[in-house]
Amino acid sequence: MSLYTGLAQSSINSDRQNFPRRSLLPIKKNALWQIEQGFVLTYTYLEDGTTVALGLWGPGDVVGEPLSKMKPYQMECLTTVEATILPMDNWHEVTETLLHHIQQAEELMLIRSHKKVETMLIQLLAWLSKKFGSQVEQGRLIDMRLTHEDLAALISSTRVTITRLLGQLEQEGLIDRLSLNRIVVRQEDIWYYEI
C-alpha cells in the first residue's frame, strides 16, 4: 500500500521508465521519482570520497534531489527499477513524503548510533527484513541483491568487515546467505540476539 495516495491522477498515469541495475536515476530539479518496482539507494560523498548512504527505498517510495540538501546527491538502482516521474507543480501531498523521509532517516540514524559494527549490522538486517523482506519458511528473505559494499555504506563500515561479520552471523545460525547476495534473517534468533 503506497503512502502517496494523494498524488494527482495525472501524475500516476505519467509514463513509467525502466532503469537497469546499478544505473543512476536522473536528477530532476523540479520533479521526483516514484518507485514502482525495484530498490534505490540514495547517497552522497564526503570530501575524502567516502560514500554516505542517505536512504534505501522501494516500491511506493518517492525519491529525488528536491527532498535533500546534500550535494552531491545520487540515486542508484540496486535492482532493475521501474519509476514514474512526478512533476512538483502537479504534486500537492508533499507532507506525507517528507514525514516518511524523516522517519526513515531517524531509523537509519538509530541503527548507525550503536558502538559496535556487529550490532549495527544486526539492526540493519532486522530493519531491512521488516521494511523490504518477505516471509519464507526459514524467516524473512531480503531479496534485494545488496552487496557487502552496499551494506557497508549503509552503516559506514568497510566491505571487509561486513564480509567477516556476515560469515560469523551465518555460522551462529542467525542468517542464511543465498545466491545473488540474498539473505534470510531468522527472525526469532535475531530478535533474541538484539537483546
Side-chain angles (χ1 to χ4, degrees):
M1 181 170 140
S2 174
L3 292 174
Y4 312 101
T5 55
L7 293 175
Q9 193 61 34
S10 61
S11 294
I12 293 171
N13 292 331
S14 297
D15 291 340
R16 291 183 180 189
Q17 296 181 34
N18 292 306
F19 300 91
R21 181 175 190 267
R22 295 296 175 191
S23 66
L24 297 177
L25 288 178
I27 300 293
K28 304 285 187 182
K29 297 293 181 195
N30 296 314
L32 300 172
W33 290 100
Q34 181 167 17
I35 302 166
E36 306 297 339
Q37 292 181 9
F39 299 98
V40 173
L41 175 69
T42 54
Y43 62 91
T44 190
Y45 293 104
L46 299 180
E47 289 177 7
D48 66 1
T50 302
T51 300
V52 178
L54 301 173
L56 189 57
W57 313 98
D61 290 333
V62 175
V63 296
E65 189 179 51
L67 296 174
S68 178
K69 288 193 171 224
M70 295 294 133
K71 302 289 183 217
Y73 178 84
Q74 299 290 318
M75 301 172 288
E76 182 179 357
C77 301
L78 296 178
T79 61
T80 301
V81 170
E82 185 176 322
T84 304
I85 194 79
L86 303 174
M88 292 290 285
D89 56 348
N90 293 339
W91 198 47
H92 305 288
E93 298 296 327
V94 74
T95 304
E96 263 187 84
T97 298
L98 292 175
L99 290 174
H100 182 66
H101 275 254
I102 290 167
Q103 290 164 354
Q104 179 163 307
E106 288 176 340
E107 290 170 348
L108 286 173
M109 190 182 322
L110 183 62
I111 289 168
R112 291 182 190 140
S113 70
H114 293 279
K115 302 283 187 244
K116 294 171 60 179
V117 176
E118 180 180 14
T119 305
M120 283 191 272
L121 180 59
I122 290 166
Q123 293 286 327
L124 177 65
L125 292 174
W127 181 76
L128 289 170
S129 73
K130 282 188 267 185
K131 184 168 174 69
F132 300 111
S134 59
Q135 191 64 44
V136 294
E137 187 176 323
Q138 303 89 344
R140 300 233 356 127
L141 173 65
I142 304 169
D143 190 12
M144 298 177 67
R145 298 174 128 190
L146 291 169
T147 65
H148 295 185
E149 192 170 330
D150 294 331
L151 292 170
L154 283 165
I155 58 174
S156 300
S157 184
T158 65
R159 183 199 52 77
V160 173
T161 300
I162 296 303
T163 299
R164 178 180 55 78
L165 290 174
L166 286 172
Q168 180 182 323
L169 294 174
E170 187 172 36
Q171 283 180 345
E172 293 174 14
L174 299 173
I175 65 170
D176 289 323
R177 292 189 290 176
L178 308 175
S179 62
L180 303 174
N181 293 321
R182 297 173 304 148
I183 298 172
V184 174
V185 176
R186 297 185 179 275
Q187 289 177 283
E188 299 80 18
D189 296 336
I190 206 151
W191 302 149
Y192 175 74
Y193 192 91
E194 289 176 17
I195 299 170

